[in-house]
């Protein structure tokens, strides 16, 4: 189940972008699904947003679209995705606060309060800024923007659910809600700039939460190592 869920989650990220880009460019794109997969690989394994640079060049070479339409499509899709992702981060941190698990998260990593505070503040601020200046930043029609935002919101919700199921399949003891702390840690770390070796930081923090969720450290370490290795 671990490997099956991982595979579904891995491919869901790039493939869920196809309907959004089809909507913007009014072009069938499912036969080009490998380009979306390569974009994901570039972003994950090379450098953030290098996938967007590759995808823009790919679109210029393979699609009969103007440069303006391509650039607007890539820019606006990424802005909407960033808006929804930042909103999701803020909601998850707020949810941890209200259910009383935030303090344990803060204790899991050095400077946890500063990291979570920065992630929550920046995520909320960026989401509000995009909403307030939408007309200047996003050139897509309002209705299309809303539909793309819904696609991104559904994707993030499904991926978070699959993420929790992934961990629960490897270590079935703790409740699904306990894995929300791990997912929140990853969301927060992904929103922090200039944090080197995020995987190592996350692994260290996750191991410190082993006692909280009543799971053996060795099992958590093995699970996270398998996840990181499969991603690479």
């Amino acid at each position: 189940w671990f490997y099956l869920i991982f595979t579904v989650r891995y491919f869901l990220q790039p493939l869920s972008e196809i309907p959004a880009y089809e909507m913007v460019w009014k072009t069938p794109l499912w036969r080009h699904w490998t380009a979306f997969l390569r974009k994901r690989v570039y972003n994950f394994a090379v450098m953030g947003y290098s996938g967007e640079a590759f995808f823009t060049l790919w679109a210029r070479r393979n699609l009969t679209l103007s440069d303006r339409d391509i650039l607007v499509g890539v820019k606006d899709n990424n802005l909407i995705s960033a808006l929804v992702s930042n909103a999701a981060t803020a909601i998850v941190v707020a949810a941890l606060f209200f259910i009383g698990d935030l303090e344990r998260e803060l204790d899991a990593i050095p400077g946890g309060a500063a990291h979570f505070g920065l992630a929550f503040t920046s995520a909320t601020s960026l989401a509000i800024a995009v909403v307030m200046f939408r007309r200047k930043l996003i050139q897509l029609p309002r209705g299309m923007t809303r539909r793309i935002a819904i696609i991104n919101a559904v994707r993030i919700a499904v991926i978070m659910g699959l993420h929790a199921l992934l961990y629960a399949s490897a270590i079935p003891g703790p409740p699904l809600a306990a894995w929300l702390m791990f997912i929140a840690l990853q969301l927060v770390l992904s929103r922090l700039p200039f944090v080197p070796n995020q995987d190592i930081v996350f692994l260290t923090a996750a191991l410190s939460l082993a006692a909280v969720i009543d799971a053996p450290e060795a099992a958590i370490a093995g699970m996270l190592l398998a996840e990181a290795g499969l991603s690479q």
Side-chain angles (χ1 to χ4, degrees), residues 215-226:
E217 288 189 5
I220 292 177
M223 175 183 70
L224 296 180
L225 179 62

Side-chain angles (χ1 to χ4, degrees), residues 30 44 66 93 181 187 191:
W30 279 102
F44 180 83
S66 67
V93 174
M181 292 190 289
L187 280 174
R191 291 287 170 263

Side-chain angles (χ1 to χ4, degrees), residues 6-67:
F6 177 90
T7 302
V8 172
R9 192 195 64 167
Y10 186 90
F11 282 94
L12 182 63
Q13 171 72 34
L15 297 185
S16 64
E17 293 182 326
I18 296 178
Y21 276 97
E22 284 188 335
M23 193 184 306
V24 173
W25 288 340
K26 298 178 176 61
T27 302
L29 294 171
W30 279 102
R31 63 191 179 94
H32 300 298
W33 66 273
T34 55
F36 291 85
L37 187 61
R38 289 172 66 188
K39 180 164 82 76
R40 187 204 190 285
V41 172
Y42 274 109
N43 282 335
F44 180 83
V46 181
M47 186 175 63
Y49 291 104
S50 62
E52 272 61 41
F54 151 76
F55 189 64
T56 301
L57 293 174
W58 173 87
R60 290 186 65 191
R61 293 169 181 166
N62 293 275
L63 303 178
T64 55
L65 298 169
S66 67
D67 287 351

Side-chain angles (χ1 to χ4, degrees), residues 19-193:
Y21 276 97
E22 284 188 335
M23 193 184 306
V24 173
W25 288 340
K26 298 178 176 61
T27 302
L29 294 171
W30 279 102
R31 63 191 179 94
H32 300 298
W33 66 273
T34 55
F36 291 85
L37 187 61
R38 289 172 66 188
K39 180 164 82 76
R40 187 204 190 285
V41 172
Y42 274 109
N43 282 335
F44 180 83
V46 181
M47 186 175 63
Y49 291 104
S50 62
E52 272 61 41
F54 151 76
F55 189 64
T56 301
L57 293 174
W58 173 87
R60 290 186 65 191
R61 293 169 181 166
N62 293 275
L63 303 178
T64 55
L65 298 169
S66 67
D67 287 351
R68 181 184 181 279
D69 287 342
I70 291 171
L71 291 173
V72 168
V74 173
K75 172 183 69 70
D76 286 0
N77 263 292
N78 276 277
L79 280 173
I80 297 168
S81 176
L83 165 65
V84 178
S85 297
N86 282 295
T89 301
I91 290 170
V92 168
V93 174
L96 285 173
F97 172 78
F98 285 112
I99 65 178
D101 286 333
L102 183 58
E103 186 175 351
R104 289 183 287 188
E105 289 270 355
L106 301 181
D107 294 336
I109 52 176
H115 289 325
F116 271 75
L118 176 61
F120 180 81
T121 303
S122 61
T124 306
S125 301
L126 287 171
I128 293 174
V130 172
V131 172
M132 289 182 62
F133 300 104
R134 186 196 68 81
R135 293 183 179 180
K136 293 183 178 180
L137 295 173
I138 299 176
Q139 296 173 254
L140 296 177
R142 184 185 294 270
M144 187 179 295
T145 299
R146 188 181 301 113
R147 290 194 294 273
I148 294 174
I150 291 172
I151 291 173
N152 280 275
V154 171
R155 182 191 73 225
I156 289 174
V158 172
I159 286 178
M160 288 178 64
L162 288 173
H163 210 154
L165 285 173
L166 180 75
Y167 292 158
S169 68
I171 306 175
L176 277 177
W179 298 118
L180 177 64
M181 292 190 289
F182 283 67
I183 298 169
L185 268 178
Q186 286 188 326
L187 280 174
V188 168
L189 290 174
S190 69
R191 291 287 170 263
L192 296 177

